Amino acid sequence: MLTLNELIIAMEVGLIYGILALGIYFTFRTINFPDLTCDGSFVTGAAVSSVMIKSGLNPALGIFFAALAGGTAGFLTGLINIRLKVEDLLSGIIVAFMLYSINLRIMGTKPNISLVNESTIFRFDNPIIICTLIVTLILFFIAYLLSSDFGLGLRAIGQNKKFALANGINVNAMTIFGLIISNALIAMCGAIFTQYQGFCDVSQGTGCLVIGLASVIIGEKFFPKIKFIRNLEIKSRNFIEIFFALFSCVIGSIAYRIFIAIAINSDILGLKTQDLNLITGLLIIFIMSRK
Amino acid sequence: MLNLKNIYVRNILIDLNLTVNEGEFVLVVGENGAGKTTLFNTISGSISPSKGSIFISEKNVTNEPQYMRAQLVANVFQDPKVGTVANMSVRNNLNMAHMRGKKRKLLTQSCSKERDDFFRSKLYEIGLENRLDSLVGELSGGQRQALSVIMALLTDSKILLLDEVTAALDSENSKRVLRIIDTCIYKQKKTCLMITHNKDQINQLGNRTLILKNGKLISS
């Protein structure tokens, strides 16, 4: 049976992974680029943040540099795809593959780093308050970005590249920009999650894409579309519509974690932690098959 | 003014020379595979010629990518699904066209009351002034093509390329779209090239007709 403490932990992890869902939403939904770099950039963020904390630097600064490192990984994927004409799926896979070695190098060739007794962003306050604050800030930033003229151009390349080009959008530059933002968010999620759980492992990024996608899909399927704001002034309405579309990813992430927690802690089903991937896969199939 | 000098594109266009003066409305005709659409793609920048030069208002744009040339060249495609985004609202489609050739800023919000008023005045011409919030995918084919035309005419681009714009429309919508084009070209003094197979249009529209055959201009 799921306890209150387990429910709170699921919500906290869901909030943190909400940032990952936002990153996935950015590539898969906004610019329509099937980016598989995320499994690598998640760990890059975690590794950079852990190493910086171990060196005695401010943990918040660690998150900032993690985002920079993740953004660089996204930039590389974009460059390989656009300049070297490697297919989108393959360029992401190649970068994620190479990142495994780079992440090990960042971690000083050790496969894991413990952050026990180290200073993290969760030192001062309740994790749920800190996570809510960070996620809200990111949501406002991304919603503002996407509701601008620049953001509209970004959204257009994901819908119709020929249309975007004919309307003066530099599709290549915009794709790279989208990949940078997405992977920066994913690395930021990796950094925050590492600080939350107190250790970094080189293989902790495995399955990030599926978790992120599951969150986005759950959010899109179950979070109602905003229709009650028709009377608002157009500028605010546009911002709120985008904000809630993004917010649905975070809600999806929390719902996913709670569902997994319920499934694993349910005595009747007899499921254990090792069944996590099976439950996730079945959950995605169930949601996607719903009309 | 549009000036093409010795344009060569992969055996599709062969040493093509063409001058279209400012405010001229030119019809482009020819059999399938004659090179009409390739000519338009070369002017808009989606195809780079392997030889030759393109000048728009005496500016050499041969090496400019399509997104940069969009400031000077507006397109209306044969298929309205290409020229518009179905999953975006009419407002956002118009917003995209409105910002063509302008700097898209991070700090400027794409929607505003001023823009809405401007868009409504333009949509009035095609009877869609109350459909700003509608998704473009909810519009009929004719409405969608009319919207494409309005979008192409929204900015002060020098050249307007119309690729069989009425091919997918019924006669009533076809007349309506052509009336809008004709009025706007006259008002805005745009240089316009239009591909057509329609004999009525060939007889009624344009200042002159270009005939393309096997990538060569055989009559002007």
Side-chain angles (χ1 to χ4, degrees):
Chain A
M1 192 65 191
L2 187 71
T3 63
L4 182 66
N5 192 38
E6 282 163 343
L7 182 71
I8 290 169
I9 289 171
M11 285 174 73
E12 288 168 355
V13 175
L15 262 174
I16 297 171
Y17 269 79
I19 305 170
L20 170 86
L22 289 173
I24 299 285
Y25 179 89
F26 217 89
T27 43
F28 278 77
R29 289 285 188 265
T30 307
I31 63 167
N32 195 17
F33 187 105
D35 180 29
L36 300 185
T37 321
C38 52
D39 283 14
S41 55
F42 183 87
V43 185
T44 305
V48 168
S49 161
S50 307
V51 167
M52 291 192 79
I53 289 170
K54 276 282 183 190
S55 318
L57 282 164
N58 188 316
L61 209 61
I63 296 171
F64 173 74
F65 280 102
L68 278 185
T72 311
F75 176 73
L76 274 175
T77 303
L79 218 58
I80 292 169
N81 171 241
I82 283 155
R83 288 278 165 238
L84 306 179
K85 312 278 180 211
V86 175
E87 267 185 54
D88 43 16
L89 270 172
L90 197 58
S91 50
I93 292 170
I94 291 168
V95 173
F97 185 69
M98 292 191 296
L99 279 177
Y100 187 84
S101 303
I102 294 168
N103 292 338
L104 273 172
R105 279 210 174 254
I106 295 169
M107 292 163 73
T109 66
K110 287 180 286 185
N112 42 53
I113 298 172
S114 169
L115 296 177
V116 177
N117 298 328
E118 298 287 348
S119 166
T120 68
I121 55 163
F122 300 105
R123 182 179 37 160
F124 299 114
D125 218 328
N126 190 328
I128 218 152
I129 295 171
I130 294 169
C131 293
T132 308
L133 200 71
I134 294 171
V135 170
T136 310
L137 279 173
I138 292 171
L139 275 173
F140 268 98
F141 169 72
I142 305 284
Y144 195 85
L145 172 76
L146 290 180
S147 58
S148 69
D149 274 326
F150 183 85
L152 181 62
L154 261 175
R155 283 149 62 199
I157 66 162
Q159 299 282 338
N160 183 343
K161 284 194 171 57
K162 205 168 175 181
F163 166 85
L165 271 168
N167 283 294
I169 301 288
N170 185 346
V171 171
N172 291 347
M174 282 290 204
T175 304
I176 292 177
F177 179 81
L179 287 166
I180 292 173
I181 294 286
S182 161
N183 283 285
L185 286 172
I186 292 163
M188 198 186 265
C189 173
I192 296 169
F193 186 65
T194 276
Q195 294 191 25
Y196 175 79
Q197 68 176 1
F199 74 92
C200 166
D201 190 277
V202 76
S203 60
Q204 75 185 86
T206 312
C208 270
L209 174 69
V210 182
I211 295 170
L213 269 179
S215 308
V216 171
I217 294 164
I218 294 169
E220 281 176 348
K221 286 273 179 181
F222 295 109
F223 196 72
K225 291 241 179 325
I226 301 304
K227 289 200 170 144
F228 56 86
I229 52 166
R230 288 271 169 197
N231 298 330
L232 277 178
E233 192 241 338
I234 181 59
K235 199 190 271 186
S236 322
R237 199 201 318 167
N238 184 44
F239 175 83
I240 291 170
E241 275 172 1
I242 293 171
F243 184 89
F244 275 92
L246 296 167
F247 185 56
S248 72
C249 299
V250 180
I251 295 292
S253 174
I254 296 169
Y256 166 78
R257 287 289 161 185
I258 291 174
F259 179 83
I260 295 291
I262 291 169
I264 286 174
N265 289 292
S266 158
D267 301 330
I268 306 159
L269 292 170
L271 294 165
K272 299 245 172 348
T273 318
Q274 59 264 36
D275 300 320
L276 183 69
N277 286 7
L278 179 69
I279 302 165
T280 306
L282 290 173
L283 179 65
I284 293 174
I285 293 166
F286 170 71
I287 293 163
M288 292 199 80
S289 62
R290 272 173 55 102
K291 291 282 171 207
Chain B
M1 192 171 84
L2 171 72
N3 201 348
L4 276 73
K5 288 182 181 168
N6 303 318
I7 294 293
Y8 183 87
V9 181
R10 287 178 264 144
N11 266 337
I12 305 171
L13 296 178
I14 302 155
D15 289 327
L16 191 128
N17 288 290
L18 173 67
T19 302
V20 183
N21 294 317
E22 194 180 323
E24 231 186 329
F25 188 174
V26 176
L27 298 177
V28 182
V29 296
E31 293 167 359
N32 290 337
K36 303 182 297 294
T37 302
T38 306
L39 171 68
F40 273 30
N41 287 339
T42 310
I43 297 169
S44 68
S46 63
I47 292 178
S48 301
S50 39
K51 215 173 77 183
S53 313
I54 302 163
F55 294 85
I56 297 174
S57 300
E58 288 165 21
K59 184 188 174 196
N60 190 343
V61 295
T62 318
N63 297 318
E64 273 191 6
Q66 187 184 5
Y67 72 90
M68 281 174 79
R69 227 182 279 181
Q71 192 179 355
L72 301 167
V73 184
N75 284 282
V76 182
F77 301 96
Q78 182 178 356
D79 184 357
K81 285 177 189 159
V82 180
T84 51
V85 176
N87 291 335
M88 276 187 178
S89 63
V90 171
R91 175 185 290 109
N92 279 340
N93 274 268
L94 286 163
N95 263 321
M96 282 291 295
H98 179 65
M99 292 308 292
R100 187 172 51 232
K102 295 174 194 155
K103 201 170 163 69
R104 290 166 205 268
K105 293 178 185 165
L106 273 167
L107 296 175
T108 315
Q109 291 291 287
S110 61
C111 297
S112 68
K113 195 182 170 301
E114 293 73 34
R115 279 195 201 175
D116 270 13
D117 292 341
F118 173 62
F119 294 156
R120 270 195 200 96
S121 71
K122 294 287 171 189
L123 288 173
Y124 182 75
E125 294 173 40
I126 52 170
L128 293 177
E129 68 274 17
N130 296 322
R131 302 292 297 272
L132 267 178
D133 284 315
S134 304
L135 287 178
V136 168
E138 293 167 358
L139 303 180
S140 71
Q143 288 173 324
R144 213 164 154 175
Q145 189 66 310
L147 177 67
S148 300
V149 172
I150 291 290
M151 284 165 63
L153 295 166
L154 213 55
T155 53
D156 55 356
S157 47
K158 305 275 181 211
I159 314 283
L160 179 63
L161 302 176
L162 309 166
D163 188 353
E164 293 187 62
V165 285
T166 56
L169 306 180
D170 58 39
S171 63
E172 202 53 46
N173 275 313
S174 175
K175 276 181 198 161
R176 185 197 260 188
V177 166
L178 286 174
R179 198 167 51 239
I180 296 161
I181 292 168
D182 216 24
T183 314
C184 289
I185 290 168
Y186 179 73
K187 271 190 204 164
Q188 300 179 11
K189 291 198 170 90
K190 280 189 193 291
T191 304
C192 177
L193 284 91
M194 182 165 111
I195 295 176
T196 184
H197 290 291
N198 187 315
K199 280 184 183 155
D200 291 341
Q201 289 174 4
I202 295 168
N203 294 331
Q204 288 167 12
L205 297 167
N207 304 108
R208 64 184 161 120
T209 305
L210 304 176
I211 304 171
L212 272 175
K213 191 172 185 184
N214 298 328
K216 287 180 181 170
L217 205 59
I218 57 164
S219 167
S220 175

